[in-house]
Amino acid sequence: MRKPEEFLILPSGSGQMAAVAHITTQQPRHSGHKIVSALANHAFVKMNGLGNEIVVVDLRQSRAVISAEDARAAASPQGAPYDQLMAIFPARTPGTDGFVRIYNNDGSEAGACGNGMRCVADVMFKESGKNALTFETSAGLINCWPGAQPLIATVDMGTPKFAWNEIPLAEPFHDTRHIELQIGPIDKPILDTPSVVSMGNPHAIFWVNDVTAYDLGKIGPLLENHPIFPERANISLCAVKSKEHLIVRTWERGAGLTKACGTAACAAAVSAARTRRTGRKVTVTLPGGDLQIEWRERDDHVLMTGPVEYEYEGRFDPALFAKA
């Protein structure tokens, strides 16, 4: 018999530093037969977007690949602990300013990271002097431009995806504004009927009155790895405070609890508008602060505006990767 405190998850119907110049890179080196990590002795910039911990590395002069083991080692306490690592590679598409690969601290890759893209954009704005940048990620092209004040940037996160097989989900759901999924006792679920959407990575938004009333550190990983999400999912709790204001907490896929998740803010804003809880322009309050989100009506692109902060610069100790 299941104990009362156990969870059952069911699909019920089935401080700014100096401007950063170009970050020098080093090619991977060979020592005997061992390939030294692309990150060994490599420069990085530690930043954050509303407390979402970001590390930026510039690999535009290298064709090196960051392995999952390397990404995990870099995130260790002896490295530069982060939620996401943003690696800038040479542009693959004419007219773009670079290809960005995004690594979670568990070594997995993400298709999008709004807070991280603002950090990358600010570094590149300072280096290039440009007032608009376009990056390519595995999820598509991302346009960025500086805000009206220093350390503020806007990122065009593209268009959301709502089809079940594009999010993706493991089985068909005709209407992804609310799907049949619950956690807790079958007759009295703790959470149920989330909205689901992809903002370059899959998101589930559970509508609640108080985002602090749930143990998201316990519930989050259970739902992240639910079979309905074949690529796992970001799990958010969202409270609607008004037609223009949302409060959101997120368990990030591959990173855990974070102070801010930009794509989750976008997913919540889009889902709230789609379910007529809000309009298309809202303030999203996260544990780390506020983001301004607009789901632009003329083309359905999602625009995210918010701050970045520089913390420190450094180089990765090669010893971190000895066992990677």
Side-chain angles (χ1 to χ4, degrees), residues 36-48:
V36 177
S37 166
L39 295 178
N41 201 36
H42 198 287
F44 66 84
V45 182
K46 177 65 172 60
M47 306 177 70
N48 77 77

Side-chain angles (χ1 to χ4, degrees), residues 130-179:
K130 293 183 177 181
N131 59 11
L133 296 165
T134 300
F135 298 102
E136 185 177 4
T137 73
S138 62
L141 299 182
I142 303 289
N143 296 311
C144 311
W145 53 94
Q149 300 174 359
L151 297 176
I152 301 291
T154 295
V155 177
D156 182 342
M157 299 298 293
T159 57
K161 295 179 180 178
F162 303 118
W164 70 271
N165 58 329
E166 293 180 324
I167 292 172
L169 302 175
E171 60 184 78
F173 283 91
H174 175 69
D175 188 351
T176 54
R177 289 175 297 181
H178 38 74
I179 68 167

Side-chain angles (χ1 to χ4, degrees), residues 290-324:
D290 292 348
L291 290 173
Q292 306 302 317
I293 308 296
E294 179 183 0
W295 186 18
R296 195 164 57 191
E297 191 163 7
R298 64 180 170 85
D299 59 4
D300 276 344
H301 280 228
V302 181
L303 308 182
M304 177 187 59
T305 301
V308 301
E309 181 180 1
Y310 288 81
E311 296 183 12
Y312 59 89
E313 300 177 27
R315 287 182 178 273
F316 288 113
D317 184 346
L320 288 169
F321 311 100
K323 296 181 181 180

Side-chain angles (χ1 to χ4, degrees), residues 226-257:
H226 190 279
I228 197 66
F229 303 116
E231 296 180 6
R232 301 187 293 165
N234 299 275
I235 307 301
S236 292
L237 307 178
C238 182
V240 180
K241 307 309 291 183
S242 74
K243 286 287 189 179
E244 297 82 30
H245 186 201
L246 302 175
I247 298 179
V248 173
R249 287 181 67 214
T250 299
W251 174 273
E252 281 200 59
R253 178 185 68 167
L257 288 173

